[in-house]
Amino acid sequence: MFASAPPPTASTLRTTGRLTADEIDLRLRSVELVFFDFDGVFTDNRVAVDQNGVEQVFCCRSDGLGLSKLRRLGVDAMIVSTERNPVVGVRAQKLAMDCVQGVEDKAETIGRLAFQRGVSLERTCFVGNDVNDVAAMALCCLAITVADAWPEAYAAAHLVTTRRGGEGAVREICDVLVAARGQGLSK
């Protein structure tokens, strides 16, 4: 399923040309809080529905290790999702992340959540993949999207993962943030 690739570094993510390399490095090092959309970022954007209406999604197990590395560096991460579905909360709980669901206005929500955590938006990152993420991406100092994002999200992003949503994109982002702080990927 996954192609063999070298470990992520700050240069692993593709730039969209909206920022210089120096600006990207500075912003990667300054991030204190990462907001993640769920569907299409943690998942491959597909859903399986059984005859009882129970939904299942596919996520990448390696995301958890990347998120734990971020936590050890003091970088907070949380899920902000339009979707209201128990699977989102269950995955967030498994990853020891805060999660807000049923969000109609992600920009307003992340502004409020960053303020509540005492983090300036100049020290936040938003990872999204679709049109409903664009306004939130525009508020943060760093906007990242996944390789298979919708064109509107790609146009709003500063960086693009090499991996698709649900296929290790979250881990790739975490590893890049860790590497930007000079911590190495094996720590």
Side-chain angles (χ1 to χ4, degrees), residues 33-39 41-42 67 76-83 87-93 95-103 106 109-110 113 117 126-127 170:
L33 175 58
V34 183
F35 295 104
F36 290 94
D37 177 36
F38 187 76
D39 291 315
V41 173
F42 278 91
L67 289 161
D76 195 9
M78 69 177 305
I79 295 169
V80 177
S81 179
T82 301
E83 182 72 22
V87 73
V88 179
V90 168
R91 186 67 181 146
Q93 184 177 11
L95 295 171
M97 296 177 72
D98 287 335
C99 172
V100 180
Q101 297 185 59
V103 175
K106 290 183 182 181
T109 299
I110 67 166
L113 292 169
R117 285 171 163 68
F126 191 91
V127 182
V170 170

PDB file of all heavy atoms in Angstrom, residues 33-39 41-42 67 76-83 87-93 95-103 106 109-110 113 117 126-127 170:
ATOM      1  N   LEU A  33       0.780  24.774  18.020  1.00  0.00           N
ATOM      2  CA  LEU A  33      -0.533  24.122  18.012  1.00  0.00           C
ATOM      3  C   LEU A  33      -0.908  23.784  16.575  1.00  0.00           C
ATOM      4  O   LEU A  33      -0.876  24.649  15.708  1.00  0.00           O
ATOM      5  CB  LEU A  33      -1.577  25.070  18.626  1.00  0.00           C
ATOM      6  CG  LEU A  33      -3.037  24.661  18.611  1.00  0.00           C
ATOM      7  CD1 LEU A  33      -3.273  23.335  19.326  1.00  0.00           C
ATOM      8  CD2 LEU A  33      -3.900  25.761  19.237  1.00  0.00           C
ATOM      9  N   VAL A  34      -1.225  22.506  16.351  1.00  0.00           N
ATOM     10  CA  VAL A  34      -1.624  22.042  15.021  1.00  0.00           C
ATOM     11  C   VAL A  34      -3.075  21.600  15.072  1.00  0.00           C
ATOM     12  O   VAL A  34      -3.449  20.761  15.890  1.00  0.00           O
ATOM     13  CB  VAL A  34      -0.749  20.862  14.532  1.00  0.00           C
ATOM     14  CG1 VAL A  34      -1.148  20.451  13.118  1.00  0.00           C
ATOM     15  CG2 VAL A  34       0.731  21.200  14.611  1.00  0.00           C
ATOM     16  N   PHE A  35      -3.873  22.185  14.194  1.00  0.00           N
ATOM     17  CA  PHE A  35      -5.264  21.768  14.024  1.00  0.00           C
ATOM     18  C   PHE A  35      -5.334  20.866  12.801  1.00  0.00           C
ATOM     19  O   PHE A  35      -4.824  21.215  11.737  1.00  0.00           O
ATOM     20  CB  PHE A  35      -6.172  22.985  13.788  1.00  0.00           C
ATOM     21  CG  PHE A  35      -6.262  23.917  14.948  1.00  0.00           C
ATOM     22  CD1 PHE A  35      -5.583  25.127  14.944  1.00  0.00           C
ATOM     23  CD2 PHE A  35      -7.048  23.602  16.054  1.00  0.00           C
ATOM     24  CE1 PHE A  35      -5.679  26.007  16.009  1.00  0.00           C
ATOM     25  CE2 PHE A  35      -7.143  24.484  17.131  1.00  0.00           C
ATOM     26  CZ  PHE A  35      -6.458  25.686  17.101  1.00  0.00           C
ATOM     27  N   PHE A  36      -5.969  19.720  12.957  1.00  0.00           N
ATOM     28  CA  PHE A  36      -6.143  18.785  11.861  1.00  0.00           C
ATOM     29  C   PHE A  36      -7.624  18.612  11.546  1.00  0.00           C
ATOM     30  O   PHE A  36      -8.424  18.375  12.458  1.00  0.00           O
ATOM     31  CB  PHE A  36      -5.618  17.389  12.235  1.00  0.00           C
ATOM     32  CG  PHE A  36      -4.134  17.269  12.360  1.00  0.00           C
ATOM     33  CD1 PHE A  36      -3.513  17.404  13.588  1.00  0.00           C
ATOM     34  CD2 PHE A  36      -3.351  16.981  11.248  1.00  0.00           C
ATOM     35  CE1 PHE A  36      -2.140  17.264  13.724  1.00  0.00           C
ATOM     36  CE2 PHE A  36      -1.983  16.836  11.360  1.00  0.00           C
ATOM     37  CZ  PHE A  36      -1.372  16.983  12.601  1.00  0.00           C
ATOM     38  N   ASP A  37      -7.969  18.699  10.277  1.00  0.00           N
ATOM     39  CA  ASP A  37      -9.261  18.196   9.825  1.00  0.00           C
ATOM     40  C   ASP A  37      -9.182  16.680   9.980  1.00  0.00           C
ATOM     41  O   ASP A  37      -8.088  16.111  10.093  1.00  0.00           O
ATOM     42  CB  ASP A  37      -9.483  18.610   8.371  1.00  0.00           C
ATOM     43  CG  ASP A  37     -10.779  18.067   7.796  1.00  0.00           C
ATOM     44  OD1 ASP A  37     -11.782  17.984   8.536  1.00  0.00           O
ATOM     45  OD2 ASP A  37     -10.788  17.727   6.604  1.00  0.00           O
ATOM     46  N   PHE A  38     -10.304  15.996   9.949  1.00  0.00           N
ATOM     47  CA  PHE A  38     -10.269  14.534  10.110  1.00  0.00           C
ATOM     48  C   PHE A  38     -10.435  13.810   8.772  1.00  0.00           C
ATOM     49  O   PHE A  38      -9.509  13.192   8.280  1.00  0.00           O
ATOM     50  CB  PHE A  38     -11.329  14.069  11.117  1.00  0.00           C
ATOM     51  CG  PHE A  38     -11.214  12.608  11.434  1.00  0.00           C
ATOM     52  CD1 PHE A  38     -10.215  12.155  12.271  1.00  0.00           C
ATOM     53  CD2 PHE A  38     -12.089  11.683  10.884  1.00  0.00           C
ATOM     54  CE1 PHE A  38     -10.076  10.796  12.559  1.00  0.00           C
ATOM     55  CE2 PHE A  38     -11.974  10.336  11.166  1.00  0.00           C
ATOM     56  CZ  PHE A  38     -10.968   9.886  12.000  1.00  0.00           C
ATOM     57  N   ASP A  39     -11.625  13.905   8.189  1.00  0.00           N
ATOM     58  CA  ASP A  39     -11.889  13.176   6.944  1.00  0.00           C
ATOM     59  C   ASP A  39     -11.016  13.724   5.821  1.00  0.00           C
ATOM     60  O   ASP A  39     -10.993  14.923   5.561  1.00  0.00           O
ATOM     61  CB  ASP A  39     -13.366  13.277   6.554  1.00  0.00           C
ATOM     62  CG  ASP A  39     -14.255  12.501   7.504  1.00  0.00           C
ATOM     63  OD1 ASP A  39     -13.909  11.356   7.827  1.00  0.00           O
ATOM     64  OD2 ASP A  39     -15.282  13.046   7.938  1.00  0.00           O
ATOM     65  N   VAL A  41      -7.808  13.714   5.842  1.00  0.00           N
ATOM     66  CA  VAL A  41      -6.473  13.974   6.383  1.00  0.00           C
ATOM     67  C   VAL A  41      -6.026  12.753   7.189  1.00  0.00           C
ATOM     68  O   VAL A  41      -5.026  12.119   6.864  1.00  0.00           O
ATOM     69  CB  VAL A  41      -6.452  15.253   7.247  1.00  0.00           C
ATOM     70  CG1 VAL A  41      -5.104  15.431   7.940  1.00  0.00           C
ATOM     71  CG2 VAL A  41      -6.775  16.474   6.392  1.00  0.00           C
ATOM     72  N   PHE A  42      -6.774  12.407   8.222  1.00  0.00           N
ATOM     73  CA  PHE A  42      -6.507  11.173   8.968  1.00  0.00           C
ATOM     74  C   PHE A  42      -7.017   9.950   8.206  1.00  0.00           C
ATOM     75  O   PHE A  42      -6.576   8.837   8.461  1.00  0.00           O
ATOM     76  CB  PHE A  42      -7.190  11.215  10.336  1.00  0.00           C
ATOM     77  CG  PHE A  42      -6.416  11.963  11.380  1.00  0.00           C
ATOM     78  CD1 PHE A  42      -6.619  13.315  11.571  1.00  0.00           C
ATOM     79  CD2 PHE A  42      -5.472  11.322  12.166  1.00  0.00           C
ATOM     80  CE1 PHE A  42      -5.913  14.019  12.530  1.00  0.00           C
ATOM     81  CE2 PHE A  42      -4.754  12.019  13.127  1.00  0.00           C
ATOM     82  CZ  PHE A  42      -4.978  13.369  13.308  1.00  0.00           C
ATOM     83  N   LEU A  67       2.342  11.825  16.286  1.00  0.00           N
ATOM     84  CA  LEU A  67       1.678  12.730  17.223  1.00  0.00           C
ATOM     85  C   LEU A  67       2.302  12.660  18.610  1.00  0.00           C
ATOM     86  O   LEU A  67       2.441  13.686  19.287  1.00  0.00           O
ATOM     87  CB  LEU A  67       0.179  12.414  17.282  1.00  0.00           C
ATOM     88  CG  LEU A  67      -0.580  12.806  16.012  1.00  0.00           C
ATOM     89  CD1 LEU A  67      -1.920  12.074  15.940  1.00  0.00           C
ATOM     90  CD2 LEU A  67      -0.771  14.318  15.935  1.00  0.00           C
ATOM     91  N   ASP A  76       1.083  21.045  20.757  1.00  0.00           N
ATOM     92  CA  ASP A  76      -0.271  20.550  20.960  1.00  0.00           C
ATOM     93  C   ASP A  76      -0.914  20.275  19.601  1.00  0.00           C
ATOM     94  O   ASP A  76      -0.590  20.933  18.613  1.00  0.00           O
ATOM     95  CB  ASP A  76      -1.074  21.604  21.722  1.00  0.00           C
ATOM     96  CG  ASP A  76      -2.367  21.083  22.306  1.00  0.00           C
ATOM     97  OD1 ASP A  76      -2.601  19.853  22.291  1.00  0.00           O
ATOM     98  OD2 ASP A  76      -3.161  21.912  22.785  1.00  0.00           O
ATOM     99  N   ALA A  77      -1.802  19.308  19.546  1.00  0.00           N
ATOM    100  CA  ALA A  77      -2.520  18.983  18.306  1.00  0.00           C
ATOM    101  C   ALA A  77      -3.939  18.591  18.653  1.00  0.00           C
ATOM    102  O   ALA A  77      -4.188  17.964  19.683  1.00  0.00           O
ATOM    103  CB  ALA A  77      -1.821  17.848  17.567  1.00  0.00           C
ATOM    104  N   MET A  78      -4.855  18.986  17.782  1.00  0.00           N
ATOM    105  CA  MET A  78      -6.249  18.595  17.990  1.00  0.00           C
ATOM    106  C   MET A  78      -6.981  18.476  16.666  1.00  0.00           C
ATOM    107  O   MET A  78      -6.538  19.014  15.647  1.00  0.00           O
ATOM    108  CB  MET A  78      -6.954  19.551  18.926  1.00  0.00           C
ATOM    109  CG  MET A  78      -7.198  20.938  18.413  1.00  0.00           C
ATOM    110  SD  MET A  78      -8.118  21.934  19.611  1.00  0.00           S
ATOM    111  CE  MET A  78      -9.566  20.960  19.923  1.00  0.00           C
ATOM    112  N   ILE A  79      -8.082  17.762  16.688  1.00  0.00           N
ATOM    113  CA  ILE A  79      -8.921  17.551  15.515  1.00  0.00           C
ATOM    114  C   ILE A  79     -10.087  18.527  15.557  1.00  0.00           C
ATOM    115  O   ILE A  79     -10.743  18.680  16.598  1.00  0.00           O
ATOM    116  CB  ILE A  79      -9.439  16.100  15.468  1.00  0.00           C
ATOM    117  CG1 ILE A  79      -8.274  15.124  15.273  1.00  0.00           C
ATOM    118  CG2 ILE A  79     -10.498  15.930  14.377  1.00  0.00           C
ATOM    119  CD1 ILE A  79      -8.642  13.664  15.466  1.00  0.00           C
ATOM    120  N   VAL A  80     -10.325  19.187  14.426  1.00  0.00           N
ATOM    121  CA  VAL A  80     -11.481  20.069  14.264  1.00  0.00           C
ATOM    122  C   VAL A  80     -12.206  19.573  13.016  1.00  0.00           C
ATOM    123  O   VAL A  80     -11.712  19.714  11.899  1.00  0.00           O
ATOM    124  CB  VAL A  80     -11.054  21.546  14.110  1.00  0.00           C
ATOM    125  CG1 VAL A  80     -12.267  22.425  13.871  1.00  0.00           C
ATOM    126  CG2 VAL A  80     -10.287  22.011  15.336  1.00  0.00           C
ATOM    127  N   SER A  81     -13.383  18.982  13.206  1.00  0.00           N
ATOM    128  CA  SER A  81     -14.073  18.304  12.113  1.00  0.00           C
ATOM    129  C   SER A  81     -15.500  18.803  11.916  1.00  0.00           C
ATOM    130  O   SER A  81     -16.222  19.037  12.888  1.00  0.00           O
ATOM    131  CB  SER A  81     -14.113  16.795  12.397  1.00  0.00           C
ATOM    132  OG  SER A  81     -14.780  16.104  11.374  1.00  0.00           O
ATOM    133  N   THR A  82     -15.875  18.948  10.676  1.00  0.00           N
ATOM    134  CA  THR A  82     -17.263  19.256  10.342  1.00  0.00           C
ATOM    135  C   THR A  82     -18.146  18.051  10.638  1.00  0.00           C
ATOM    136  O   THR A  82     -19.282  18.195  11.091  1.00  0.00           O
ATOM    137  CB  THR A  82     -17.381  19.623   8.848  1.00  0.00           C
ATOM    138  OG1 THR A  82     -16.538  20.736   8.602  1.00  0.00           O
ATOM    139  CG2 THR A  82     -18.805  19.963   8.467  1.00  0.00           C
ATOM    140  N   GLU A  83     -17.612  16.885  10.398  1.00  0.00           N
ATOM    141  CA  GLU A  83     -18.327  15.630  10.603  1.00  0.00           C
ATOM    142  C   GLU A  83     -18.664  15.444  12.082  1.00  0.00           C
ATOM    143  O   GLU A  83     -17.883  15.771  12.961  1.00  0.00           O
ATOM    144  CB  GLU A  83     -17.456  14.459  10.134  1.00  0.00           C
ATOM    145  CG  GLU A  83     -18.103  13.108  10.237  1.00  0.00           C
ATOM    146  CD  GLU A  83     -19.193  12.866   9.223  1.00  0.00           C
ATOM    147  OE1 GLU A  83     -19.202  13.531   8.177  1.00  0.00           O
ATOM    148  OE2 GLU A  83     -20.039  11.995   9.478  1.00  0.00           O
ATOM    149  N   VAL A  87     -16.871   7.741  15.185  1.00  0.00           N
ATOM    150  CA  VAL A  87     -15.556   7.245  14.761  1.00  0.00           C
ATOM    151  C   VAL A  87     -14.488   8.325  14.910  1.00  0.00           C
ATOM    152  O   VAL A  87     -13.335   8.038  15.231  1.00  0.00           O
ATOM    153  CB  VAL A  87     -15.602   6.671  13.319  1.00  0.00           C
ATOM    154  CG1 VAL A  87     -15.722   7.771  12.278  1.00  0.00           C
ATOM    155  CG2 VAL A  87     -14.386   5.817  13.039  1.00  0.00           C
ATOM    156  N   VAL A  88     -14.857   9.590  14.718  1.00  0.00           N
ATOM    157  CA  VAL A  88     -13.903  10.694  14.857  1.00  0.00           C
ATOM    158  C   VAL A  88     -13.448  10.790  16.312  1.00  0.00           C
ATOM    159  O   VAL A  88     -12.252  10.855  16.609  1.00  0.00           O
ATOM    160  CB  VAL A  88     -14.508  12.035  14.383  1.00  0.00           C
ATOM    161  CG1 VAL A  88     -13.513  13.169  14.547  1.00  0.00           C
ATOM    162  CG2 VAL A  88     -14.992  11.938  12.945  1.00  0.00           C
ATOM    163  N   GLY A  89     -14.396  10.771  17.225  1.00  0.00           N
ATOM    164  CA  GLY A  89     -14.082  10.844  18.644  1.00  0.00           C
ATOM    165  C   GLY A  89     -13.296   9.645  19.145  1.00  0.00           C
ATOM    166  O   GLY A  89     -12.379   9.786  19.961  1.00  0.00           O
ATOM    167  N   VAL A  90     -13.649   8.466  18.657  1.00  0.00           N
ATOM    168  CA  VAL A  90     -12.942   7.257  19.068  1.00  0.00           C
ATOM    169  C   VAL A  90     -11.481   7.314  18.628  1.00  0.00           C
ATOM    170  O   VAL A  90     -10.570   7.003  19.403  1.00  0.00           O
ATOM    171  CB  VAL A  90     -13.641   5.992  18.504  1.00  0.00           C
ATOM    172  CG1 VAL A  90     -12.774   4.760  18.658  1.00  0.00           C
ATOM    173  CG2 VAL A  90     -14.990   5.793  19.180  1.00  0.00           C
ATOM    174  N   ARG A  91     -11.247   7.742  17.390  1.00  0.00           N
ATOM    175  CA  ARG A  91      -9.866   7.834  16.898  1.00  0.00           C
ATOM    176  C   ARG A  91      -9.097   8.912  17.661  1.00  0.00           C
ATOM    177  O   ARG A  91      -7.940   8.705  18.033  1.00  0.00           O
ATOM    178  CB  ARG A  91      -9.842   8.115  15.389  1.00  0.00           C
ATOM    179  CG  ARG A  91      -8.457   8.070  14.799  1.00  0.00           C
ATOM    180  CD  ARG A  91      -7.874   6.676  14.844  1.00  0.00           C
ATOM    181  NE  ARG A  91      -6.524   6.659  14.294  1.00  0.00           N
ATOM    182  CZ  ARG A  91      -5.545   5.878  14.729  1.00  0.00           C
ATOM    183  NH1 ARG A  91      -5.779   5.014  15.699  1.00  0.00           N
ATOM    184  NH2 ARG A  91      -4.349   5.936  14.209  1.00  0.00           N
ATOM    185  N   ALA A  92      -9.727  10.040  17.930  1.00  0.00           N
ATOM    186  CA  ALA A  92      -9.079  11.103  18.697  1.00  0.00           C
ATOM    187  C   ALA A  92      -8.704  10.603  20.090  1.00  0.00           C
ATOM    188  O   ALA A  92      -7.592  10.863  20.567  1.00  0.00           O
ATOM    189  CB  ALA A  92      -9.990  12.322  18.788  1.00  0.00           C
ATOM    190  N   GLN A  93      -9.611   9.887  20.725  1.00  0.00           N
ATOM    191  CA  GLN A  93      -9.336   9.346  22.057  1.00  0.00           C
ATOM    192  C   GLN A  93      -8.160   8.376  22.003  1.00  0.00           C
ATOM    193  O   GLN A  93      -7.274   8.422  22.854  1.00  0.00           O
ATOM    194  CB  GLN A  93     -10.578   8.661  22.618  1.00  0.00           C
ATOM    195  CG  GLN A  93     -10.402   8.158  24.023  1.00  0.00           C
ATOM    196  CD  GLN A  93     -11.681   7.547  24.566  1.00  0.00           C
ATOM    197  OE1 GLN A  93     -12.647   7.312  23.847  1.00  0.00           O
ATOM    198  NE2 GLN A  93     -11.688   7.278  25.856  1.00  0.00           N
ATOM    199  N   LEU A  95      -5.731   8.428  20.000  1.00  0.00           N
ATOM    200  CA  LEU A  95      -4.510   9.189  19.760  1.00  0.00           C
ATOM    201  C   LEU A  95      -4.218  10.201  20.872  1.00  0.00           C
ATOM    202  O   LEU A  95      -3.256  10.968  20.766  1.00  0.00           O
ATOM    203  CB  LEU A  95      -4.616   9.915  18.418  1.00  0.00           C
ATOM    204  CG  LEU A  95      -4.695   9.015  17.195  1.00  0.00           C
ATOM    205  CD1 LEU A  95      -5.029   9.824  15.949  1.00  0.00           C
ATOM    206  CD2 LEU A  95      -3.408   8.220  17.010  1.00  0.00           C
ATOM    207  N   ALA A  96      -5.031  10.213  21.922  1.00  0.00           N
ATOM    208  CA  ALA A  96      -4.885  11.134  23.050  1.00  0.00           C
ATOM    209  C   ALA A  96      -4.920  12.587  22.588  1.00  0.00           C
ATOM    210  O   ALA A  96      -4.122  13.413  23.017  1.00  0.00           O
ATOM    211  CB  ALA A  96      -3.601  10.839  23.830  1.00  0.00           C
ATOM    212  N   MET A  97      -5.884  12.877  21.699  1.00  0.00           N
ATOM    213  CA  MET A  97      -6.037  14.228  21.158  1.00  0.00           C
ATOM    214  C   MET A  97      -7.388  14.801  21.553  1.00  0.00           C
ATOM    215  O   MET A  97      -8.368  14.067  21.642  1.00  0.00           O
ATOM    216  CB  MET A  97      -5.990  14.203  19.617  1.00  0.00           C
ATOM    217  CG  MET A  97      -4.704  13.769  19.015  1.00  0.00           C
ATOM    218  SD  MET A  97      -4.831  13.710  17.204  1.00  0.00           S
ATOM    219  CE  MET A  97      -4.866  15.461  16.815  1.00  0.00           C
ATOM    220  N   ASP A  98      -7.421  16.106  21.724  1.00  0.00           N
ATOM    221  CA  ASP A  98      -8.709  16.780  21.867  1.00  0.00           C
ATOM    222  C   ASP A  98      -9.368  16.806  20.495  1.00  0.00           C
ATOM    223  O   ASP A  98      -8.692  16.816  19.459  1.00  0.00           O
ATOM    224  CB  ASP A  98      -8.529  18.209  22.379  1.00  0.00           C
ATOM    225  CG  ASP A  98      -8.147  18.255  23.846  1.00  0.00           C
ATOM    226  OD1 ASP A  98      -8.461  17.299  24.581  1.00  0.00           O
ATOM    227  OD2 ASP A  98      -7.526  19.253  24.251  1.00  0.00           O
ATOM    228  N   CYS A  99     -10.689  16.836  20.512  1.00  0.00           N
ATOM    229  CA  CYS A  99     -11.441  16.770  19.263  1.00  0.00           C
ATOM    230  C   CYS A  99     -12.712  17.601  19.396  1.00  0.00           C
ATOM    231  O   CYS A  99     -13.410  17.505  20.411  1.00  0.00           O
ATOM    232  CB  CYS A  99     -11.795  15.315  18.978  1.00  0.00           C
ATOM    233  SG  CYS A  99     -12.900  15.056  17.604  1.00  0.00           S
ATOM    234  N   VAL A 100     -12.991  18.405  18.381  1.00  0.00           N
ATOM    235  CA  VAL A 100     -14.239  19.158  18.313  1.00  0.00           C
ATOM    236  C   VAL A 100     -14.924  18.729  17.023  1.00  0.00           C
ATOM    237  O   VAL A 100     -14.318  18.771  15.946  1.00  0.00           O
ATOM    238  CB  VAL A 100     -13.982  20.679  18.306  1.00  0.00           C
ATOM    239  CG1 VAL A 100     -15.286  21.442  18.227  1.00  0.00           C
ATOM    240  CG2 VAL A 100     -13.188  21.092  19.530  1.00  0.00           C
ATOM    241  N   GLN A 101     -16.178  18.307  17.141  1.00  0.00           N
ATOM    242  CA  GLN A 101     -16.928  17.818  15.982  1.00  0.00           C
ATOM    243  C   GLN A 101     -18.148  18.686  15.710  1.00  0.00           C
ATOM    244  O   GLN A 101     -18.581  19.435  16.569  1.00  0.00           O
ATOM    245  CB  GLN A 101     -17.407  16.385  16.230  1.00  0.00           C
ATOM    246  CG  GLN A 101     -16.326  15.369  16.400  1.00  0.00           C
ATOM    247  CD  GLN A 101     -16.905  13.980  16.514  1.00  0.00           C
ATOM    248  OE1 GLN A 101     -17.595  13.514  15.606  1.00  0.00           O
ATOM    249  NE2 GLN A 101     -16.658  13.322  17.630  1.00  0.00           N
ATOM    250  N   GLY A 102     -18.692  18.534  14.516  1.00  0.00           N
ATOM    251  CA  GLY A 102     -19.893  19.265  14.151  1.00  0.00           C
ATOM    252  C   GLY A 102     -19.622  20.748  13.947  1.00  0.00           C
ATOM    253  O   GLY A 102     -20.512  21.574  14.134  1.00  0.00           O
ATOM    254  N   VAL A 103     -18.405  21.082  13.559  1.00  0.00           N
ATOM    255  CA  VAL A 103     -17.993  22.477  13.413  1.00  0.00           C
ATOM    256  C   VAL A 103     -18.401  22.998  12.042  1.00  0.00           C
ATOM    257  O   VAL A 103     -17.993  22.448  11.016  1.00  0.00           O
ATOM    258  CB  VAL A 103     -16.462  22.610  13.592  1.00  0.00           C
ATOM    259  CG1 VAL A 103     -16.002  24.029  13.312  1.00  0.00           C
ATOM    260  CG2 VAL A 103     -16.051  22.159  14.987  1.00  0.00           C
ATOM    261  N   LYS A 106     -14.964  26.568  10.836  1.00  0.00           N
ATOM    262  CA  LYS A 106     -13.678  26.145  11.387  1.00  0.00           C
ATOM    263  C   LYS A 106     -12.786  27.334  11.728  1.00  0.00           C
ATOM    264  O   LYS A 106     -12.044  27.286  12.704  1.00  0.00           O
ATOM    265  CB  LYS A 106     -12.964  25.203  10.419  1.00  0.00           C
ATOM    266  CG  LYS A 106     -13.639  23.848  10.313  1.00  0.00           C
ATOM    267  CD  LYS A 106     -12.871  22.916   9.412  1.00  0.00           C
ATOM    268  CE  LYS A 106     -13.577  21.590   9.282  1.00  0.00           C
ATOM    269  NZ  LYS A 106     -12.848  20.647   8.427  1.00  0.00           N
ATOM    270  N   THR A 109     -13.828  28.665  15.054  1.00  0.00           N
ATOM    271  CA  THR A 109     -13.531  27.669  16.079  1.00  0.00           C
ATOM    272  C   THR A 109     -12.047  27.627  16.403  1.00  0.00           C
ATOM    273  O   THR A 109     -11.667  27.624  17.580  1.00  0.00           O
ATOM    274  CB  THR A 109     -14.029  26.281  15.638  1.00  0.00           C
ATOM    275  OG1 THR A 109     -15.454  26.355  15.448  1.00  0.00           O
ATOM    276  CG2 THR A 109     -13.707  25.221  16.668  1.00  0.00           C
ATOM    277  N   ILE A 110     -11.188  27.611  15.402  1.00  0.00           N
ATOM    278  CA  ILE A 110      -9.755  27.539  15.711  1.00  0.00           C
ATOM    279  C   ILE A 110      -9.254  28.843  16.338  1.00  0.00           C
ATOM    280  O   ILE A 110      -8.371  28.809  17.186  1.00  0.00           O
ATOM    281  CB  ILE A 110      -8.890  27.131  14.497  1.00  0.00           C
ATOM    282  CG1 ILE A 110      -8.897  28.204  13.420  1.00  0.00           C
ATOM    283  CG2 ILE A 110      -9.300  25.774  13.972  1.00  0.00           C
ATOM    284  CD1 ILE A 110      -7.829  28.022  12.385  1.00  0.00           C
ATOM    285  N   LEU A 113     -10.292  28.407  19.944  1.00  0.00           N
ATOM    286  CA  LEU A 113      -9.518  27.365  20.622  1.00  0.00           C
ATOM    287  C   LEU A 113      -8.068  27.790  20.852  1.00  0.00           C
ATOM    288  O   LEU A 113      -7.499  27.510  21.907  1.00  0.00           O
ATOM    289  CB  LEU A 113      -9.561  26.066  19.814  1.00  0.00           C
ATOM    290  CG  LEU A 113     -10.928  25.382  19.755  1.00  0.00           C
ATOM    291  CD1 LEU A 113     -10.927  24.269  18.714  1.00  0.00           C
ATOM    292  CD2 LEU A 113     -11.312  24.848  21.130  1.00  0.00           C
ATOM    293  N   ARG A 117      -6.215  28.342  24.555  1.00  0.00           N
ATOM    294  CA  ARG A 117      -4.954  27.669  24.889  1.00  0.00           C
ATOM    295  C   ARG A 117      -3.796  28.649  25.048  1.00  0.00           C
ATOM    296  O   ARG A 117      -2.672  28.246  25.325  1.00  0.00           O
ATOM    297  CB  ARG A 117      -4.625  26.630  23.825  1.00  0.00           C
ATOM    298  CG  ARG A 117      -5.484  25.393  23.928  1.00  0.00           C
ATOM    299  CD  ARG A 117      -5.275  24.479  22.728  1.00  0.00           C
ATOM    300  NE  ARG A 117      -5.751  23.131  22.965  1.00  0.00           N
ATOM    301  CZ  ARG A 117      -7.011  22.780  23.103  1.00  0.00           C
ATOM    302  NH1 ARG A 117      -7.962  23.682  23.052  1.00  0.00           N
ATOM    303  NH2 ARG A 117      -7.349  21.513  23.295  1.00  0.00           N
ATOM    304  N   PHE A 126      -2.771  24.753  10.353  1.00  0.00           N
ATOM    305  CA  PHE A 126      -4.011  24.035  10.050  1.00  0.00           C
ATOM    306  C   PHE A 126      -3.733  23.087   8.899  1.00  0.00           C
ATOM    307  O   PHE A 126      -3.145  23.476   7.882  1.00  0.00           O
ATOM    308  CB  PHE A 126      -5.157  24.969   9.674  1.00  0.00           C
ATOM    309  CG  PHE A 126      -6.483  24.259   9.632  1.00  0.00           C
ATOM    310  CD1 PHE A 126      -7.282  24.209  10.754  1.00  0.00           C
ATOM    311  CD2 PHE A 126      -6.905  23.600   8.486  1.00  0.00           C
ATOM    312  CE1 PHE A 126      -8.507  23.514  10.727  1.00  0.00           C
ATOM    313  CE2 PHE A 126      -8.107  22.907   8.448  1.00  0.00           C
ATOM    314  CZ  PHE A 126      -8.911  22.866   9.580  1.00  0.00           C
ATOM    315  N   VAL A 127      -4.164  21.847   9.065  1.00  0.00           N
ATOM    316  CA  VAL A 127      -4.019  20.826   8.029  1.00  0.00           C
ATOM    317  C   VAL A 127      -5.412  20.462   7.553  1.00  0.00           C
ATOM    318  O   VAL A 127      -6.226  19.950   8.322  1.00  0.00           O
ATOM    319  CB  VAL A 127      -3.298  19.568   8.560  1.00  0.00           C
ATOM    320  CG1 VAL A 127      -3.127  18.555   7.444  1.00  0.00           C
ATOM    321  CG2 VAL A 127      -1.960  19.931   9.191  1.00  0.00           C
ATOM    322  N   VAL A 170      -0.473  12.496   8.083  1.00  0.00           N
ATOM    323  CA  VAL A 170      -0.362  13.078   9.420  1.00  0.00           C
ATOM    324  C   VAL A 170       1.021  12.783   9.992  1.00  0.00           C
ATOM    325  O   VAL A 170       1.691  13.664  10.524  1.00  0.00           O
ATOM    326  CB  VAL A 170      -1.482  12.566  10.354  1.00  0.00           C
ATOM    327  CG1 VAL A 170      -1.230  12.972  11.800  1.00  0.00           C
ATOM    328  CG2 VAL A 170      -2.834  13.079   9.876  1.00  0.00           C
TER     329      VAL A 170
END
